[in-house]
Amino acid sequence: MKRPLYKKLLYLVTINAALLYSIQQWPIKLLTSYSNQNLNFMNFNDINENNLTAIKSIKRFVVKKILIDTNALACSHVPRPSIEDVEITEGRWQVDRQGYEKLYLYSSFYDDRPLAGTLPTIRVLTMATNGKRMDVYCHVWFDDYSDEAFVIRADVQETGMNSFIYEYVGRIGEFTISCQLPFKYLHITDDPVLVRKLYNSSCDEFFDEVDNENELKIVHTEHEKTLLVCNKRNINEKKHKFIPRYVSLSRGVLCKTPKQPKQSRGFNHLEKNFFYHYQKQQHNPTSPHPVNNVTKTIYLTTLLPVYYDFHEEPLHEFSICVANGHDRYESYQLLEWFEFYKLMGVKEFYLYNTSYIGVESLFKYYQSKGTLLMSQIPHPLGLEPRDEKKIEKIRNLRTISLNDCMMRNMYRSKYLVVVDHDEFIVPRGDVTNFHDLLLRAEKRAKERDRPVMSYGFLNTYFFLSFKPDKYKSNNFRTFRFLYRTISLPPYTASKSILSPLYCFNLMNHYCYTRLPLYNGSISIFVSEDLALSQHYRFCGKFYLFETCTQLHNTKMRDETMLKFEKVIRENVYKVAAMLE
């Protein structure tokens, strides 16, 4: 039985499309495969001479076979928003509206960590209603191209562990919006020229003297994976990273001029008119095919600065990230916490203020010393003292605050200590600081030839319902409460010290999602005889253990913290005297 003609044509078109896609993707896939096999912990630049010739030939293939025009990446009909166009709520969140749905933007970052991919990515930390179904685009703005943006389709990932439903609003969750840039480096010539750096290459590596090619060469693979522009006439350029200045977000917007207008009534809060504005062009009577062309002008209402703080070597070995803080604290409790971790080797503390109460002067002191970096993170719906949804709103912000801290420390800190104010990661035995603790833990690791992404610490509760030592000052929790429970199994309220170079999504206890090229790194759970995470609180609701009574029955005395008592006590009283 003969196949119908249309089926034959469909079959041939499908086969040809698949072959064309494979041919276009092969060079980059080969480069990616090579990078996965030769990935170094810190960079991609260590290539031996045996492989250099093959890599050059791959690059030459890319240059000669896949050419596009840079105009395909620019949206001239999307004007850059001004400050007046930006809607801000609760003094911190930028808002993008689409009908009843809202997208709240907190911060954005330029992410070129080696394990994040061969090309850099703009990451925007957001909260959103109905975020799982968002069709989002990043409009990326550069100083050298201030009048038009590069528009890149975004990948939206839910990164919060908690999403909650609010009356008249709907469910709000935490999301990371990622837009991979199609280029990486800028070569400065007489005119600004875009260039993507491939393994320390420069433009002269792509052209032989006999090629007689002096024009701008542009490389672009499908799905905006790579863009390269080289100017043969000036190959001794000065290189620097080509980092966006701002990013705006839009939803369901392509960088094209539509054939027909769509009736869309997105609300513009400033001008109180249609969010999408259509301009009819003049009819040309001399045209052989007279038509009314329609251009869609998109008005953006967000303009978020892109943060990037690069250092060849980390400025600090240890910094602390704490999820957004709330409620009232006693000054001496936080003083004890600050001074303990300073003694362990922590140089910077990153705190996020949702509703801290009673410790304003203490925070000002540590800020004046350069030790504390405080960011405001109110809930975008507001938070009143007697808010019925207070607990939900507090938990709604945890992942954004922690990931903001991690992204700010990509290159600034070698390790991040992820704890709360009632948790103390305490070295045991003869170890007295975090540097020596991690060295000791790494030596014990079974797979010593693999890089360590994180060090986990088992949790043990020092319940405040246990009888305190009556001879110790009430100003100190860790010296008064010397009874604890057994240590809990791994990943049960455990805490971690981790490298920010490996993690995509950080949660309150450990890295929840690793970066795509994490290179087989390992996570070590530190032995109980080396350190424990000591958690000072009253017994509450436990999901993996039966009752508080059973935990109370495991009570044992533990005086590990007393070896730090003298130094911490002196430092705490010294700071307290300055605050009086």
Side-chain angles (χ1 to χ4, degrees):
M1 182 177 179
K2 294 185 178 181
R3 293 182 179 177
L5 181 59
Y6 78 91
K7 287 189 175 181
K8 289 183 179 180
L9 291 174
L10 181 61
Y11 178 79
L12 290 174
V13 169
T14 304
I15 294 298
N16 287 336
L19 288 173
L20 179 61
Y21 179 80
S22 299
I23 291 170
Q24 289 178 327
Q25 291 296 301
W26 175 80
I28 295 304
K29 286 183 177 179
L30 198 54
L31 282 175
T32 305
S33 173
Y34 176 84
S35 67
N36 285 339
Q37 296 170 10
N38 296 273
L39 199 60
N40 185 275
F41 173 56
M42 289 301 292
N43 59 66
F44 291 113
N45 298 326
D46 299 325
I47 300 177
N48 59 53
E49 291 295 329
N50 296 330
N51 296 318
L52 191 57
T53 303
I55 293 173
K56 282 186 178 180
S57 66
I58 293 171
K59 289 185 293 187
R60 289 180 58 77
F61 178 89
V62 176
V63 170
K64 291 174 182 270
K65 300 299 182 185
I66 310 173
L67 303 177
I68 66 160
D69 186 79
T70 51
N71 290 331
L73 294 173
C75 264
S76 58
H77 64 282
V78 183
R80 177 172 171 170
S82 64
I83 299 300
E84 290 75 20
D85 296 324
V86 177
E87 178 182 357
I88 298 177
T89 186
E90 293 298 315
R92 188 63 176 79
W93 298 85
Q94 294 191 21
V95 186
D96 174 70
R97 300 172 183 266
Q98 184 174 337
Y100 292 106
E101 296 181 9
K102 297 181 182 66
L103 181 64
Y104 302 100
L105 285 62
Y106 184 73
S107 56
S108 68
F109 301 89
Y110 178 85
D111 184 1
D112 65 347
R113 288 174 290 179
L115 303 183
T118 55
L119 289 170
T121 300
I122 301 298
R123 302 203 192 276
V124 186
L125 303 182
T126 67
M127 298 182 71
T129 59
N130 200 24
K132 293 182 180 180
R133 299 184 215 169
M134 288 191 301
D135 188 18
V136 182
Y137 292 81
C138 289
H139 298 249
V140 183
W141 307 92
F142 297 85
D143 283 339
D144 293 322
Y145 298 86
S146 59
D147 295 331
E148 55 186 4
F150 289 91
V151 180
I152 307 160
R153 190 163 192 164
D155 176 54
V156 181
Q157 291 183 262
E158 188 174 17
T159 47
M161 302 298 293
N162 300 286
S163 62
F164 299 96
I165 297 176
Y166 303 97
E167 191 175 5
Y168 307 118
V169 178
R171 184 176 295 277
I172 292 184
E174 296 168 288
F175 297 86
T176 297
I177 295 175
S178 301
C179 293
Q180 188 178 66
L181 296 176
F183 41 79
K184 193 170 185 177
Y185 284 79
L186 173 66
H187 281 214
I188 300 298
T189 61
D190 294 336
D191 299 314
V193 178
L194 296 175
V195 61
R196 188 242 162 144
K197 178 184 177 188
L198 294 175
Y199 299 102
N200 276 338
S201 63
S202 59
C203 289
D204 54 335
E205 294 180 12
F206 292 92
F207 305 102
D208 293 333
E209 294 180 0
V210 297
D211 279 346
N212 195 29
E213 298 182 73
N214 296 321
E215 300 297 324
L216 293 178
K217 283 295 179 181
I218 305 165
V219 176
H220 181 63
T221 65
E222 197 162 333
H223 302 308
E224 298 182 346
K225 292 298 182 186
T226 302
L227 173 68
L228 172 78
V229 180
C230 287
N231 190 336
K232 178 67 173 175
R233 289 166 294 191
N234 186 357
I235 62 174
N236 297 316
E237 311 95 2
K238 180 181 178 181
K239 305 174 191 176
H240 66 78
K241 295 185 180 182
F242 192 37
I243 300 170
R245 183 74 179 273
Y246 298 99
V247 61
S248 302
L249 296 186
S250 66
R251 284 184 278 176
V253 174
L254 292 171
C255 186
K256 294 179 180 178
T257 301
K259 295 180 181 179
Q260 297 293 334
K262 295 172 79 175
Q263 296 302 317
S264 178
R265 277 182 168 271
F267 181 69
N268 185 316
H269 77 288
L270 293 171
E271 300 180 11
K272 299 186 183 301
N273 59 10
F274 294 133
F275 190 82
Y276 296 131
H277 174 63
Y278 299 99
Q279 297 175 329
K280 285 191 176 182
Q281 298 180 349
Q282 293 295 324
H283 170 61
N284 183 3
T286 63
S287 172
H289 302 287
V291 292
N292 286 333
N293 296 321
V294 179
T295 301
K296 181 168 73 170
T297 301
I298 306 159
Y299 294 106
L300 302 171
T301 58
T302 58
L303 187 68
L304 206 61
V306 177
Y307 184 88
Y308 185 67
D309 184 22
F310 178 77
H311 302 276
E312 289 287 350
E313 296 292 335
L315 299 183
H316 310 297
E317 186 173 17
F318 299 100
S319 294
I320 274 186
C321 292
V322 182
N324 58 305
H326 58 96
D327 287 343
R328 182 173 296 278
Y329 286 86
E330 296 295 333
S331 294
Y332 271 99
Q333 290 183 5
L334 280 187
L335 269 173
E336 179 185 26
W337 182 84
F338 272 109
E339 293 304 320
F340 168 78
Y341 280 112
K342 285 175 61 180
L343 189 62
M344 294 299 103
V346 173
K347 298 300 182 183
E348 288 185 341
F349 296 77
Y350 288 78
L351 271 56
Y352 291 79
N353 180 21
T354 298
S355 56
Y356 279 113
I357 302 173
V359 286
E360 291 80 4
S361 60
L362 175 64
F363 285 164
K364 287 181 180 178
Y365 168 79
Y366 283 111
Q367 284 177 306
S368 69
K369 298 296 182 182
T371 304
L372 172 61
L373 293 93
M374 177 76 73
S375 296
Q376 304 299 315
I377 186 167
H379 196 277
L381 301 182
L383 184 63
E384 300 298 328
R386 297 185 179 181
D387 196 326
E388 292 181 357
K389 292 285 185 176
K390 181 177 181 180
I391 299 301
E392 286 89 339
K393 289 180 178 179
I394 294 296
R395 297 186 69 85
N396 220 171
L397 299 167
R398 301 185 80 175
T399 301
I400 284 186
S401 57
L402 289 172
N403 282 279
D404 182 271
C405 177
M406 179 183 67
M407 297 301 291
R408 292 181 187 279
N409 283 279
M410 285 188 295
Y411 299 112
R412 188 176 181 85
S413 301
K414 185 176 181 180
Y415 294 108
L416 298 178
V417 183
V418 185
V419 291
D420 292 328
H421 294 304
D422 56 358
E423 295 169 327
F424 297 75
I425 296 176
V426 183
R428 305 173 76 81
D430 61 343
V431 183
T432 57
N433 59 71
F434 285 161
H435 177 83
D436 293 341
L437 173 61
L438 299 195
L439 287 178
R440 192 80 62 90
E442 191 172 359
K443 285 181 180 179
R444 291 192 183 184
K446 294 180 180 179
E447 301 174 82
R448 300 181 187 177
D449 57 329
R450 300 173 66 189
V452 179
M453 182 195 77
S454 68
Y455 300 83
F457 299 89
L458 303 178
N459 177 73
T460 181
Y461 289 109
F462 282 70
F463 285 137
L464 302 183
S465 55
F466 289 158
K467 186 177 180 180
D469 191 324
K470 64 180 180 179
Y471 298 106
K472 302 292 184 180
S473 169
N474 292 340
N475 293 330
F476 300 92
R477 284 176 297 180
T478 60
F479 309 142
R480 292 180 66 228
F481 293 93
L482 301 176
Y483 288 93
R484 68 173 177 89
T485 67
I486 58 170
S487 57
L488 277 60
Y491 301 108
T492 307
S494 56
K495 290 297 177 177
S496 61
I497 297 177
L498 56 89
S499 167
L501 294 176
Y502 287 97
C503 189
F504 168 72
N505 181 23
L506 179 61
M507 62 174 292
N508 199 33
H509 300 285
Y510 47 82
C511 175
Y512 190 69
T513 309
R514 299 184 182 189
L515 290 171
L517 303 178
Y518 71 93
N519 194 28
S521 62
I522 60 174
S523 296
I524 296 174
F525 261 96
V526 177
S527 172
E528 182 176 335
D529 68 303
L530 278 182
L532 280 174
S533 176
Q534 301 187 181
H535 197 167
Y536 295 81
R537 55 164 291 176
F538 287 101
C539 190
K541 188 175 182 180
F542 298 94
Y543 296 98
L544 299 180
F545 290 86
E546 291 79 355
T547 64
C548 289
T549 301
Q550 288 176 311
L551 283 173
H552 274 72
N553 290 338
T554 66
K555 183 173 71 171
M556 64 185 76
R557 189 172 177 86
D558 188 332
E559 299 182 355
T560 303
M561 273 297 294
L562 295 183
K563 67 180 179 181
F564 304 110
E565 180 179 9
K566 181 180 179 181
V567 176
I568 292 176
R569 184 186 293 273
E570 290 177 357
N571 292 341
V572 165
Y573 284 137
K574 186 183 300 183
V575 175
M578 297 179 186
L579 298 177
E580 291 179 354

